[in-house]
Every structure is written in C-alpha cells, then in structure tokens.
Amino acid sequence: MKRAGFTTRWLPILLLLPQLIIIAIFFYWPAAHAVQSSFYLQDPFGFGSTFVGVDNYKDLAGSGEYMKIARFTLVFTTLVTFFSLALALLLAVKADKVLRGARSYRTLLMWVYAVAPPVAGFIGLIMFDQSWGPLTELARSMGWDFKLGVNFNDTAVAMVIVSVWKQVPVNFIFFLSGLQSIPKAVREAALIDNRSATGRFWQVTFPLLAPTGFFLLIINITYALFDTFGIVDTLVKGEPGNNPMTLVYKVYVDGFRGNDLGGSSAQSVVLMVLVLALTIFQFRLVERRIHYT
Amino acid sequence: MAQVSLQNIRKIYPNGYEAVTSTSFDIADGEFVVLVGPSGCGKSTLLRMVAGLEDITEGSLSIGDRVVNDVDPADRDIAMVFQNYALYPHMTVRKNIGYGLKNRKTPAQEIERKVDEAAKMLNLEPYLDRKPSQLSGGQRQRVAMGRAVVRDPALFLFDEPLSNLDAKLRNQMRIEIKALQRRLGVTSIYVTHDQVEAMTMADRIIVLNEGRIEQIGTPAEIYHSPASTFVASFMGAPPMNLLEARLEGGQVFVNGGTPLANAQGRGAVTLGIRPEDVAFDPAGPLDFHIDIVEELGAHRLLHGQLAAQNFTMHVSKEVAAAPGAVRVGLKADALRLFDAETGKAL
Ligand SMILES: Nc1ncnc2c1ncn2[C@@H]1O[C@H](COP(=O)(O)OP(=O)(O)OP(=O)(O)O)[C@@H](O)[C@H]1O
Ligand SMILES: [Mg+2]
C-alpha cells in the first residue's frame, strides 16, 4: 500500500501546532497547576501560599466528610450507570423490533438526544417542584412525602433519576445502532438454533453488543462522575450543606465557596488519577478483549 | 428425514409485492432439490418460508406429516446454511456447531461426541477452538455445514452457500456437500443462481421465474427438454440457441430454404437447438458465419450469425475452426420448438 507523506518535516508540525497549543493551555497547564497547588496551603484572602507537602492529601484521607461523599459518589455512579444502560438497552431492544426495515423512525428518535441534555436539570427541578411537580405528586400519591433539597435521600433519588433520564437517549442510540449492525442472518441462525427469545438475547444478541456496551460503560461512568455536575448544581443550588453531592461538586464547593484551593486541588488530582485508571482499563482490557473481527 | 409438501404457497410482502405466486410441489424423502432462477425471482423468499423466517401469506406447508405454517423455525426440525455463513462471531467453532444441540437439551457428553464426529467429517478438528474470524472462507463454510449436520435434522436448507467462495473452492465444496447429503440421506432444498451447481447437484431442479415455477424436472429433462424459452436460455452455458422459424406444410423452416424437421401446425415458432447439437456439414441446410472462436481447451465455442441471428456452436478440440462462412447441420432429434408468442414448448 502506498502511504501518503509530507515532503518537509516542519509542515506536519505546523499543522498540528494549533491543536497541541490548545491541549497544552487548556488541559496540561491547568492539570500541572492543580498538581502543584495541591502541595500548598493557600491563604483564603489570596496573600501568598505555604508549601505543606502531602498534608492536603492526608487531610483528605482523614476527612470523614470526604469519605462519605466518596461513598455517595460510588453509589451514585453505580446506580446512574446501571440504570442508564439497562433502561436504554431495554428501549433499544423494543425499538429494534419495530425498526427493522423502517429506517425513518430512528431519525425521529435521534431527536430526543439533541433535545434532552441542555434542559435536563431545569426539567428535573420542574418535575420535582415542591408544590406542583408531577413527580412529587406521584410520590405523594404513593404515600412518600418527597422533599427535594431538604431530605438527603429524596434529593439523591431525584439526582439519580434526572441523571439517568438525561443519559438514556445517548445510550439508546448507541445500543440501537449496535443492535442494527448485528447481521440479520446471524439472528436468523439463532432463531433456528434456539426457540427461546430470552436465550437468544443473552447468548447471541447481548454478547454481540458487548463492544458497544463496554464503550458505553466507560462513557457512562465518566458521565456520572463528572458531567452530572450541572444536574447536581441545579438540584442542590445554594444549599450544599445537608444535601448529597459528588466528588466533582465537592471540588467546586471547597475551591470556590470555601476558598481552600490547596485541598480542592488535591481532590482534583485524586479525580485525575481516577480518570487515568479508567482510561488504562479501557485501553488495556476492553479494547483488546471485546472485539471479534 | 422427511418429505416436504408445498400447496398453493404464496408470498405477498407487507409492501404489497407478490414475490411468490401460488406455488405447489412435493419433495420426496431424501431428495436433493435445487431451486434455480435469476436474481429476484423469489428463490430465497420460498426457502425462507420453508425455514419459517418469513410468514406464509397463503397456502400450506408440511414437513414430514406435519403442517408447519405456524410452527417456530426452531421447532420445524430444519437446519439452514446461509450465504454469508451466519456464524456466531463470539463463539468458538465448537460452540457454534454445538449451539443448536445445547438448546435442545442434549446431554453435554452427547454434544461433545456429535461435534467431534461432525468436525471429523468436515476436517475441522484443528480449528475447533478458534473463533470464526480466525478461519478462511472455506473453513467458515465448513463450520456452517457442521452446524447443520450435527443436528441431524429432517430437512437441510441451503441459500447460495457457495457464492462467496472462489471458483476452485466452490467446485470442491459442491462435490463435498453433495456427497455428504448422499451419505446422510437428508432431504434438501438448495437455492442457487448458478446453473452448473443446479445441474450437478440436483436430483430434481425447480426453475423459478418472477415468482412462478417455469419447470420442474431432472437435470437431464431441464437441459434437453426445456418447458419454455426462458428455461432454454437460462440453463446451459452457453445457453440453447433460439432462432425465429416458421411452420409450413408440416415442416420447419429457418429463413426459407431447406426444411429442417417435420412438425405439425403453422405460423411463427421459435426453434431451439443446443450448441453441441450443431455440426459442420458441407451438405447441411444452413449457412453459419463464424465471427469469434472461443478456445476453451477441451472444446471450442464458435460464435457468429445464422440467418441474421446470434448463434453459437460447440465443437470438440479435434475440429479445426476459423472465422468465416461454413455450412452446418442440426441434429434432428435435438430440435425443440416453442410458441413464438408465449415461449412455451410445443
Ligand atoms: N422484505 C421484503 N419486502 C418487499 N419485497 C421484498 C422483500 N424481500 C424481498 N423482496 C422482493 O421479493 C423478490 C424476491 O426476492 P428474493 O430475495 O426471494 O430473490 P432471490 O431469488 O433470492 O434473488 P437473489 O438471487 O438475488 O438472492 C425481489 O424482487 C425482492 O425485491
Ligand atoms: Mg436470494
């Protein structure tokens, strides 16, 4: 195969430069800065800082509140990831039955994806509004006095529901196209080999969706950890005090509300390590093991 | 093993297209029937209705003594080999072959024994622990065969199983499949648009055209006595020569001249003659102008014009031939006459 190449050495570098500069300025520089300031204790009023070594990390490890938030984040991430994936898969399987052949539906369903994300938090607020939110009323009709922003567990439930709801369309579209890319003949062969629809799903369809599923797993964990910031912020607005929050939101609260830049930076570094671990997990394990062709 | 019977089977797709018009035929126990026809004539549709992958719009289908119109594919006791093999990409060859047995509650030991037996029969033993992506096209084809034979079904269904293989492998697999079917004695329906496959493998051929059966017969019947000009020109490579001719006074004429044969009736007809039933004959009744000599080793094909119509003649390698005008004769008992309007054999 003939490979296209550059005749001069500097041209490719020049072409890459804008992208590299953007990455450096907006990603590496702040990251390096965060690592650096995690070793300092900042004066809350901005008058200089003192080197404190790993004290900020020790404080984190010793902080009961931080551990509690970490535990909540773990539960939250697990629930959001599980329900977003499971619900989307269920919907995709149902839609796939209708869609085989009729392509135009898919485009229509795709719109949900475009509409949902920006308004998710606000719609959540409206749905769970204390006096007239329909979901609050639904909960009340079942004897559950739902108090968003007041009761820790109620707020947590709302956070999970809104986060799941916002993420389902994305997962749905990926699952649906994953389902539709399974060769028709393979499903038909399974139809002849196995009379049970459930058996066919778990033994043939589901394993063939695994590449899509693992990709979405990583995407959803990342989403639940980081991108739910906006939802958490909208739902607990003003009163983080007794309300549940995730690790990312805690970084923001400590850094910008509490002006503890050093501690907040240490928390960011912990999260960076987490992302790094996830990425390595994805590349090493998933990419290698789940592809069939 | 079982006989299969289709009675007035029709298929109308949801979009209103009638892919198969009322079709009836029976297949005897152990028979190898080939469905052949041009692309889009409804072969796959017919086969898929037998498999249960497509609803039957009208008519009744029975396999063995059972009407199976409303029976699930898994319960019809059939096995199907698909054009692109349709192997399960995430399962090893062993699992692929054993999957159908496993779902039929076969004991694990029995599955293992049967899979090993099938693998041996198909020379797949070295590949049992590989995934389909690690196999060549021919090996995948064999796995697909293995998946079918291991179940020991009442009926094999093949939908152009060899069309993705290269010519050499295709010839080899053709013989293997045929031999396997003979050995196992399983009733089979085999779909192809390759008329060589049809001729060589079939006990009986069913020629389809636009959702209708044109002819059912043994390969020899189909080849020598085509029921219509469609069958005459579809089967055989090169196909049968078809010439415009006239019937007059009990005799057939092409382009006036000498009568070629005796036949009843009068008016325009189509005369059919296979290329190999034409011979050089200085005293023959017809002028053939050879334009191209096609050298095929064992024989030669001479293409040209006869009575201002395209014509092909087949001569053995011993017969010298060169472009130019020659006189030829037609083997009288090989002449076939068709209605000029309907194309049906007279
Ligand atoms: N799901 C469908 N809906 C509507 N029409 C269909 C459908 N499937 C097939 N057809 C039409 O039915 C006709 C027969 O199709 P079929 O697949 O049986 O052809 P075939 O003889 O197997 O052709 P090939 O040799 O190309 O495989 C075709 O004209 C095709 O366009
Ligand atoms: Mg077909």
Side-chain angles (χ1 to χ4, degrees):
Chain A
M1 197 173 72
K2 190 181 177 293
R3 294 178 68 179
F6 291 100
T7 43
T8 48
R9 183 170 282 270
W10 54 267
L11 184 61
I13 296 175
L14 191 73
L15 292 174
L16 277 175
L17 211 56
Q19 183 68 34
L20 290 176
I21 289 174
I22 287 173
I23 292 177
I25 292 181
F26 289 101
F27 295 93
Y28 289 117
W29 186 68
H33 197 71
V35 173
Q36 190 209 13
S37 49
S38 72
F39 295 112
Y40 286 84
L41 182 65
Q42 261 87 359
D43 182 281
F45 303 104
F47 303 119
S49 51
T50 336
F51 182 80
V52 292
V54 294
D55 276 6
N56 285 326
Y57 293 96
K58 277 192 192 146
D59 286 351
L60 276 190
S63 154
E65 195 208 353
Y66 189 74
M67 285 303 146
K68 189 179 153 214
I69 291 174
R71 266 197 305 280
F72 174 76
T73 308
L74 185 71
V75 173
F76 175 79
T77 305
T78 311
L79 289 177
V80 170
T81 305
F82 176 77
F83 283 111
S84 317
L85 289 174
L87 262 176
L89 181 58
L90 185 73
L91 291 174
V93 168
K94 295 292 174 206
D96 180 56
K97 289 215 177 86
V98 186
L99 282 176
R100 296 230 139 220
R103 193 139 293 173
S104 50
Y105 284 114
R106 184 157 58 167
T107 326
L108 284 178
L109 286 164
M110 211 88 81
W111 284 38
V112 180
Y113 169 44
V115 172
V119 288
F122 290 107
I123 293 181
L125 273 187
I126 294 168
M127 298 303 269
F128 288 108
D129 185 274
Q130 197 50 59
S131 38
W132 45 267
L135 289 181
T136 316
E137 283 182 12
L138 181 73
R140 275 205 195 109
S141 73
M142 293 186 303
W144 178 4
D145 189 17
F146 198 94
K147 288 200 168 69
L148 178 67
V150 177
N151 181 307
F152 181 94
N153 284 333
D154 291 358
T155 313
V157 167
M159 260 154 80
V160 171
I161 290 177
V162 176
S163 305
V164 167
W165 177 65
K166 180 187 168 295
Q167 188 63 6
V168 161
V170 186
N171 294 347
F172 170 81
I173 283 161
F174 275 100
F175 273 135
L176 187 63
S177 66
L179 281 170
Q180 304 222 325
S181 68
I182 297 177
K184 186 169 159 234
V186 170
R187 289 164 166 242
E188 289 176 345
L191 215 54
I192 293 173
D193 271 346
N194 192 348
R195 79 166 56 80
S196 144
T198 333
R200 288 196 300 270
F201 178 78
W202 290 111
Q203 290 150 24
V204 178
T205 313
F206 190 74
L208 292 180
L209 272 182
T212 312
F214 271 91
F215 164 74
L216 285 180
L217 181 69
I218 302 291
I219 295 286
N220 279 264
I221 291 176
T222 320
Y223 161 78
L225 280 176
F226 299 97
D227 294 351
T228 49
F229 179 90
I231 291 168
V232 176
D233 188 45
T234 320
L235 291 182
V236 305
K237 195 135 211 149
E239 319 159 51
N242 179 39
N243 276 318
M245 61 174 124
T246 58
L247 287 175
V248 168
Y249 197 66
K250 169 93 171 135
V251 172
Y252 164 76
V253 168
D254 286 359
F256 294 91
R257 294 273 182 85
N259 278 340
D260 174 14
L261 283 183
S264 163
S265 296
Q267 292 179 28
S268 312
V269 172
V270 170
L271 288 176
M272 274 195 272
V273 172
L274 207 63
V275 174
L276 204 67
L278 264 178
T279 314
I280 290 172
F281 171 73
Q282 180 180 15
F283 284 147
R284 280 290 160 81
L285 264 132
V286 177
E287 302 265 314
R288 195 183 303 162
R289 291 190 52 200
I290 310 292
H291 290 280
Y292 302 118
T293 45
Chain B
M1 276 165 271
Q3 70 282 8
V4 177
S5 164
L6 284 79
Q7 273 159 33
N8 304 315
I9 295 278
R10 251 178 119 196
K11 175 70 191 183
I12 301 175
Y13 277 111
N15 65 0
Y17 182 78
E18 183 166 10
V20 176
T21 53
S22 188
T23 295
S24 304
F25 58 87
D26 293 309
I27 302 173
D29 189 10
E31 197 178 14
F32 195 109
V33 165
V34 173
L35 284 175
V36 68
S39 187
C41 69
K43 307 179 292 288
S44 298
T45 305
L46 203 52
L47 193 76
R48 292 164 53 78
M49 284 194 284
V50 176
L53 300 174
E54 210 68 76
D55 287 334
I56 298 171
T57 312
E58 239 174 63
S60 114
L61 166 72
S62 45
I63 299 175
D65 308 320
R66 212 159 47 120
V67 174
V68 294
N69 283 46
D70 299 319
V71 175
D72 276 347
D75 295 326
R76 291 192 181 190
D77 201 10
I78 51 154
M80 183 153 170
V81 179
F82 295 82
Q83 176 169 5
N84 44 15
Y85 322 130
L87 301 178
Y88 307 118
H90 58 298
M91 296 185 194
T92 59
V93 169
R94 182 187 295 283
K95 292 232 170 79
N96 259 286
I97 298 178
Y99 185 62
L101 290 175
K102 198 176 121 216
N103 294 314
R104 285 173 175 79
K105 305 272 179 311
T106 315
Q109 272 179 326
E110 177 104 354
I111 295 180
E112 177 142 351
R113 189 181 60 74
K114 284 190 168 174
V115 171
D116 285 338
E117 198 179 274
K120 196 164 175 192
M121 188 155 54
L122 292 158
N123 295 322
L124 281 171
E125 282 160 314
Y127 313 112
L128 277 174
D129 294 314
R130 291 205 196 166
K131 296 267 175 72
S133 58
Q134 298 162 314
L135 299 176
S136 72
Q139 290 161 348
R140 287 181 207 185
Q141 178 56 53
R142 282 205 176 79
V143 178
M145 283 297 298
R147 202 163 60 175
V149 301
V150 80
R151 294 232 332 268
D152 195 15
L155 176 64
F156 280 149
L157 302 172
F158 300 90
D159 194 353
E160 309 201 20
L162 305 183
S163 59
N164 285 356
L165 303 179
D166 64 55
K168 196 170 165 209
L169 205 52
R170 194 152 61 215
N171 290 343
Q172 183 192 334
M173 286 303 295
R174 195 172 75 205
I175 294 164
E176 282 185 29
I177 291 180
K178 180 67 190 169
L180 202 62
Q181 191 268 343
R182 267 286 131 75
R183 182 137 52 100
L184 303 172
V186 177
T187 315
S188 303
I189 307 180
Y190 187 105
V191 163
T192 179
H193 58 241
D194 181 325
Q195 43 99 14
V196 177
E197 268 171 39
M199 291 294 293
T200 53
M201 299 177 88
D203 293 325
R204 261 192 319 157
I205 295 178
I206 298 177
V207 184
L208 284 179
N209 182 25
E210 293 178 348
R212 279 177 302 103
I213 295 183
E214 285 279 336
Q215 186 171 7
I216 303 183
T218 62
E221 282 165 5
I222 299 272
Y223 189 78
H224 297 295
S225 314
S228 64
T229 49
F230 173 84
V231 178
S233 55
F234 187 76
M235 298 300 287
M240 188 180 255
N241 291 298
L242 296 172
L243 297 169
E244 287 168 22
R246 295 194 63 76
L247 270 180
E248 256 172 51
Q251 300 198 293
V252 192
F253 299 88
V254 171
N255 206 17
T258 330
L260 298 171
N262 300 327
Q264 296 307 310
R266 53 188 312 111
V269 291
T270 303
L271 180 148
I273 182 94
R274 291 276 171 201
E276 63 274 22
D277 294 324
V278 185
F280 291 146
D281 179 2
L286 295 164
D287 274 320
F288 177 39
H289 189 92
I290 303 169
D291 294 326
I292 294 168
V293 176
E294 215 179 350
E295 195 69 55
L296 293 169
H299 59 267
R300 299 191 175 95
L301 292 176
L302 316 177
H303 302 281
Q305 300 278 314
L306 189 147
Q309 297 168 57
N310 289 334
F311 195 83
T312 300
M313 147 173 202
H314 171 125
V315 294
S316 69
K317 62 173 188 258
E318 288 83 21
V319 179
V326 289
R327 281 196 86 73
V328 296
L330 312 181
K331 211 165 147 193
D333 61 354
L335 287 182
R336 298 287 174 262
L337 294 178
F338 304 94
D339 189 301
E341 296 277 315
T342 63
K344 295 273 169 262
L346 292 175

